[in-house]
Amino acid sequence: MNDYQFEIQRRATKKEKPAFDQLIFGRNFTDHMFVMDYHADKGWHDGRIVPYEPLQIDPSAMVFHYGQSVFEGLKAYLSEDQEVLMFRPYKNMERLNKSNNRLCIPPIDEELAVQALRQLIAVDRDWVPNVEGTSLYIRPFIISTEPYLGVAPSHQYKFIIIMSPVGAYYKEGINPVKIAVQSEYVRAVKGGTGNAKTGGNYAASLKAQEVAEQEGYSQVLWLDGKENKYVEEVGSMNIFFKINGEVVTPELNGSILEGVTRNSVIELIKDWGIPLSERRISIDEIYEAQKNGTLEEAFGTGTAAVISPVGELFWNNEKLTIGGGQTGEIAGKLYETLTGIQKGKVEDKFGWIVKVDEEKAVTTAI
Amino acid sequence: MNDYQFEIQRRATKKEKPAFDQLIFGRNFTDHMFVMDYHADKGWHDGRIVPYEPLQIDPSAMVFHYGQSVFEGLKAYLSEDQEVLMFRPYKNMERLNKSNNRLCIPPIDEELAVQALRQLIAVDRDWVPNVEGTSLYIRPFIISTEPYLGVAPSHQYKFIIIMSPVGAYYKEGINPVKIAVQSEYVRAVKGGTGNAKTGGNYAASLKAQEVAEQEGYSQVLWLDGKENKYVEEVGSMNIFFKINGEVVTPELNGSILEGVTRNSVIELIKDWGIPLSERRISIDEIYEAQKNGTLEEAFGTGTAAVISPVGELFWNNEKLTIGGGQTGEIAGKLYETLTGIQKGKVEDKFGWIVKVDEEKAVTTAI
């Protein structure tokens, strides 16, 4: 661990912090950020912790034109013992490298990235909020910075980690949301970038989201791009259904993001002995299940919201109520268990928690 | 036209210019750029011409994370009479607004954008290269700049125009290129963003391009995302074939970019009385036509390369030579005619050329 020591340039004066009981998602950022540069001649180099401040980037930088970028999202929590706990950071850095591969971005050293995160959190430790329901949202991302207008992989990149103290992602909290099936716009297709966490997927989703909101729905249920028939994701989350006692979720087919929360939910459900399958699920099957009364639950999973129950589905001009519009038993139990593990209140039998202070050698060196 | 007067802040000292007979595409940028801001409360405002310099952008700016961006590409040429001629700038600004609509970016005033371009070129007029085969490449683009990590349309944007004196896009010039049919990776699908000029489409294309280059091919021929069967684009160009005396090009189906050069080529071919149809073209049809000797020509069209003849197609482990590997008659005539019109050597019967100096009121005001 002592191999990863980064230069730290601290702010002269700390920023004023927002009230931790009134946090809005993604609006406030901590005092510092981690930055590391890549150049084709030098590889990744000069990892450093510096004050959070605007980036100076050439207007011809490739990220502005050809969208070569990837990102991750994860959270750290303050436990009742005042320890800062990160949730599965290695899993996120592993996925970052999968995204890098698809986007032709050079891989990062995953251990270095986690150590960078650890040291950054230690520097901005007083930004980890201590109010119920809050956490420190962490956004590692990579952008292509070469000043060049040709369509080709960039020879220069920046890997940056910024952090934001956040409240709940949905103002409604764990209350069920209403979602609309989207059959005109497509988020991703096999052979595309759907299973990479890259900006273009999110840019492509905005129009459908706008339409859904105008019709009173808070999220979009995405169908596959080839047949417009199979369920893929909900908003920017993975989706699960409980049908006739079995939990089902779309299998990873190349156009679905391999969510860290999705993976954690699958492990928990299997551990609980509840039947679960990853397979293709058509929207017709969901419709039939709702009609014959076997559609017991539906919920989205993602880092920002953790678990987001679905109370109503709009499809083919029909409103389908799910689970009486209430949070289902599995969704509720998953939310309690996952947030419990994340905050150190529930035993972490899976080894998902990484303590920021665990490596004394690193933190004392700061 | 006098309504569009922008504040001009000139550089103190001009940059050193590259040798105009040794230009590399997209590497050098002129002394100034046009910048205009958008804020949800104020609309588009503060259009200005300023020195070309790095942008200062918050690390949480949405463009870095969710890829909400659009761009255009067009060219200006120096005529033999030393006039600066723009090629179809209104068509590009019209398409920019179509892309804006798909990406949930507020529309720009197209006339304002063309006047901004006109004034910017006038300020950097000595950057329009005067060597055979060169031109001034113009890159208008819009990026989302709101510092916010939620997935939603940004409330803040920047519209920027930068310019680069360029030589030929392909070092080989008008010589035929070898292209490989791509059947694993997909560029776009109906319902996605394929017909918008947005970064994510280009980011998605890099991996296939990398694979093609490793196999000795300079471009990728894209098939449709649904059936992996119908020809869509070549690299970042539109594609045309001449089969048994008729020119055919894929119809605009929602996943194909509506190229300005594509449109110009169609108008020229119709004007010449050559049969042309826009329709679905399967890769099997191309294969059959090559086998039975009726595939006479293939060529790509785009602003950067203008016309790019295709001499060889690689599909299903088979190399298919097209037109004896030589530039075809139509491709050659299109190249000569289009570049002739662009430089004022061939009569512009379509009204495609817009002279930078035409509006004396504007240029003398600078």
Side-chain angles (χ1 to χ4, degrees), chain B residues 107-119:
Chain B
I108 54 157
D109 175 336
E110 294 167 21
E111 182 63 38
L112 178 148
V114 172
Q115 295 307 326
L117 184 49
R118 199 192 283 274
Q119 294 185 36

Side-chain angles (χ1 to χ4, degrees), chain B residues 25 41 46-47 63 68 80 88 90 93 100 125 132 135 140 145 149 152 160 201 209 238 275 286 312 314 316:
Chain B
F25 190 93
D41 298 334
D46 282 352
V63 66
Q68 198 193 4
E80 287 176 355
R88 308 192 77 179
Y90 289 96
M93 297 312 176
N100 281 338
R125 198 189 163 101
E132 178 66 26
S135 58
T145 53
L149 291 187
I160 300 173
N201 298 337
Q209 180 68 26
N238 293 112
I286 298 301
E312 183 184 311
F314 185 70
N316 266 351

Side-chain angles (χ1 to χ4, degrees), chain A residues 25-141:
Chain A
F25 190 93
R27 292 276 180 201
N28 302 105
F29 298 92
T30 69
D31 282 321
H32 299 86
M33 61 183 180
F34 177 83
V35 181
M36 182 164 66
D37 298 312
Y38 178 92
H39 192 287
D41 299 335
K42 297 176 73 174
W44 286 111
H45 63 279
D46 282 352
R48 60 205 182 268
I49 290 168
V50 295
Y52 183 99
E53 63 185 8
L55 306 172
Q56 293 227 12
I57 303 193
D58 197 276
S60 68
M62 299 177 87
V63 65
F64 295 136
H65 305 271
Y66 307 125
Q68 199 193 4
S69 66
V70 294
F71 70 94
E72 274 301 326
L74 68 159
K75 283 180 175 173
Y77 300 81
L78 195 66
S79 77
E80 286 176 355
D81 303 335
Q82 304 300 305
E83 287 186 303
V84 181
L85 311 177
M86 298 188 281
F87 186 71
R88 310 192 76 179
Y90 288 97
K91 197 82 181 160
N92 285 93
M93 298 311 178
E94 182 190 323
R95 184 174 64 180
L96 187 62
N97 270 339
K98 288 185 187 174
S99 300
N100 280 338
N101 180 53
R102 179 64 182 86
L103 274 297
C104 300
I105 295 174
I108 54 156
D109 176 336
E110 294 166 22
E111 182 64 38
L112 177 146
V114 173
Q115 295 307 326
L117 185 48
R118 199 192 285 274
Q119 294 184 38
L120 179 62
I121 294 174
V123 168
D124 280 343
R125 198 189 164 102
D126 52 349
W127 282 87
V128 185
N130 53 4
V131 173
E132 177 67 25
T134 63
S135 58
L136 185 69
Y137 182 80
I138 298 156
R139 170 58 59 89
F141 64 106

Side-chain angles (χ1 to χ4, degrees), chain A residues 10 30 34 62 82 126 143 163 184 214 223 261 278 292 295 307 317 323 327:
Chain A
R10 286 178 191 267
T30 69
F34 177 83
M62 299 177 87
Q82 304 300 305
D126 52 349
I143 53 175
M163 306 193 299
E184 180 182 355
Q214 282 162 2
L223 301 182
T261 310
E278 299 176 60
N292 67 28
L295 180 58
I307 302 292
N317 291 313
T327 298

Side-chain angles (χ1 to χ4, degrees), chain A residues 274-294:
Chain A
I274 298 168
L276 177 140
S277 67
E278 299 176 60
R279 61 171 171 82
R280 289 210 301 190
I281 304 159
S282 72
I283 186 66
D284 300 291
E285 178 185 351
I286 298 302
Y287 181 81
E288 291 302 323
Q290 197 273 349
K291 286 295 171 193
N292 67 28
T294 57

